[in-house]
Amino acid sequence: MSRHVLALSGGVGGAKLAAGLAAVLSPDDLTLVVNTGDDFEHLGLTICPDIDSVTYALAGLNDTVRGWGVKDETWQAMAMLRALGEADWFNLGDRDMGMHIARSWRLRAGDTLSQVTARLTGELGIAHAIVPMSDAPVRTQIGTAQGWLDFQRYFVAEQCRPVATGVRFEGASDAVPSPAFAAALAREDLGAIVVCPSNPYLSVDPILSLDGVRSALAGRRVPVVAVSPLVGGASLKGPLGKLLGELGRPVSNASIADHYGDLLDHLIIDEADAADVGGLRDRGLSVTVCPTVMCHAGDRERLARVALIAAGIETG
Amino acid sequence: MSRHVLALSGGVGGAKLAAGLAAVLSPDDLTLVVNTGDDFEHLGLTICPDIDSVTYALAGLNDTVRGWGVKDETWQAMAMLRALGEADWFNLGDRDMGMHIARSWRLRAGDTLSQVTARLTGELGIAHAIVPMSDAPVRTQIGTAQGWLDFQRYFVAEQCRPVATGVRFEGASDAVPSPAFAAALAREDLGAIVVCPSNPYLSVDPILSLDGVRSALAGRRVPVVAVSPLVGGASLKGPLGKLLGELGRPVSNASIADHYGDLLDHLIIDEADAADVGGLRDRGLSVTVCPTVMCHAGDRERLARVALIAAGIETG
């Protein structure tokens, strides 16, 4: 039976649906592939924001009030780093720091990012596979009037203020999918691909830009279902709305559909955007309209079930 | 006028006198050379316990209740590391972790330990020179029935339980003194050498074992004054008493005097050990008897002044 689900996720919004999928699918039935284009080296640490968002969400460690990072967080190491004159533009919590230290020393010891991620998520009791998109470094950069900015510079230090003229993924065309991503793409029982409600340009495109991924996805004749990251014609969080405008595209689900193009079979949009349905269907897409804002665990599971139903995957 | 003071220090006990010396001497008049034999690599971080003890003491950041580490400390990163299955035998506080992260990334970027230490202590507002004994790695190891144990394994993981059969300093004979240590040894205005109340075998010997240090110290005809780490015929803190017994030496100031031998001109001992005076004088040492337990800033300054008077150094 073709029931394995391959989900592609970025950070916060994607991580919520990832947690919903993990709540309704067994570990055998789900591979969560996570964007690593936002990863960066900072203060000697390898920081993987999207892997960590998905990890913390699945482990129940995510801070739901702040919306990112670990709950019950403190900031003492950062305060000391600031007192020592070190860069403080990227705020790292103490518990989060433990994750970066563990990851960084194991990477330096020679483990791959896949191996490190499998180990650390396993230690946190996560049974589902959280998989980096690639073990090779891929770095998302934003074109601006100041030149190409590394993603975290743009996103955190500059708070997305510069006008974006383009997006590129340094290293992507030479980077192959991680072993578990490649294995999921090739699984006989692959039943669906779910694109989580992450930024298509910044969080999903890096995954699609890896060597061979677009053709492998297109070659698998399984339903590809995306959950739109737009709600009420705006991005719920992050720079998607601003970015769409700067790239000369309307802030609407039509842009999301155009962006994914032929890859996509089904788009799930928020009930606030029900007016988009006609235009999307005219493009040949099937569409589900439902609440997509995920505030609680119940919301995440409900949206996961909607996505799986759209993909023809049965859940218990 | 020969008034520059070169002080040799280990961790906690030594750090207290180092802070006392810094309180009564101007930055121009003091070079604090700190043992790095206890340094180690752990979880990808370079940890320098004695440099940090001296740094925290001079910055007023030391925890006076616990007796080590930073005050107002928390342990969240360590809790996460434990949850991730990482080694937790060496407890690292969050604020302390900030120090290790700053030091480690700067060392990896190519700075020497001297450069990193100068920078980080300067950022904390410390005007006095805290100087690693060497920029080359030297690693103290303890001989035991299980073989040679790295110092922190012996000291922290094994809590000094194994019977010590010897002590060695890996790398010391090839390691030259750090530039600022070498410069202090060669200063025209060097007026005294103060050996802080640190473990002679574990904290001071690594410094004396560096290439050329013993002969350089002996060649300078300036007073060498040590403060004994023993109080009432026992070590105030740490494994010195146990170690002396295992190495077949009495736990007494006679052993301290014998260990330093001809290098030493003057020994400051605690009033609880006043009975030792006669035997020490018979060895040709001059001796001061005074309270040596440093509980408060006033105690540290008072003992620093006693040491400087014994060395013939005038203070304001």
Side-chain angles (χ1 to χ4, degrees), chain A residues 212-229:
Chain A
V213 166
R214 229 173 232 285
S215 59
L217 286 172
R220 296 303 307 245
R221 298 172 175 274
V222 301
V224 178
V225 176
V227 177
S228 172

Side-chain angles (χ1 to χ4, degrees), chain B residues 153-164:
Chain B
R153 274 277 156 202
Y154 165 80
F155 188 63
V156 177
E158 302 281 342
Q159 302 195 320
C160 308
R161 279 182 298 254
V163 172

Side-chain angles (χ1 to χ4, degrees), chain A residues 14-39:
Chain A
K16 289 183 180 182
L17 186 62
L21 290 166
V24 301
L25 291 171
S26 78
D28 281 347
D29 290 340
L30 180 64
T31 301
L32 293 166
V33 170
V34 184
N35 172 43
T36 59
D38 301 359
D39 295 5

Side-chain angles (χ1 to χ4, degrees), chain B residues 136-141 148 150 168-175:
Chain B
V138 174
R139 295 296 178 255
T140 298
Q141 297 180 323
W148 291 97
D150 286 337
R168 70 180 184 190
F169 312 109
E170 281 286 294
S173 57
D174 299 325

Side-chain angles (χ1 to χ4, degrees), chain A residues 166-272:
Chain A
V167 182
R168 70 180 184 190
F169 312 110
E170 281 286 293
S173 58
D174 299 326
V176 296
S178 63
F181 183 14
L185 281 169
R187 279 180 82 119
E188 265 195 33
D189 65 346
L190 184 68
I193 293 155
V194 174
V195 181
C196 293
S198 296
N199 188 314
Y201 296 87
L202 298 179
S203 301
V204 181
D205 260 10
I207 306 175
L208 301 179
S209 302
L210 296 172
D211 187 24
V213 166
R214 229 173 232 285
S215 59
L217 286 172
R220 296 303 307 245
R221 298 172 175 274
V222 301
V224 178
V225 176
V227 177
S228 172
L230 295 176
V231 174
S235 53
L236 197 59
K237 200 172 183 306
L240 176 58
K242 178 170 182 287
L243 192 66
L244 281 167
E246 290 165 2
L247 298 178
R249 287 164 197 157
V251 186
S252 80
N253 281 310
S255 295
I256 308 296
D258 285 346
H259 185 73
Y260 289 130
D262 288 347
L263 201 64
L264 197 63
D265 299 300
H266 191 104
L267 188 61
I268 297 171
I269 65 172
D270 192 75
E271 53 190 355

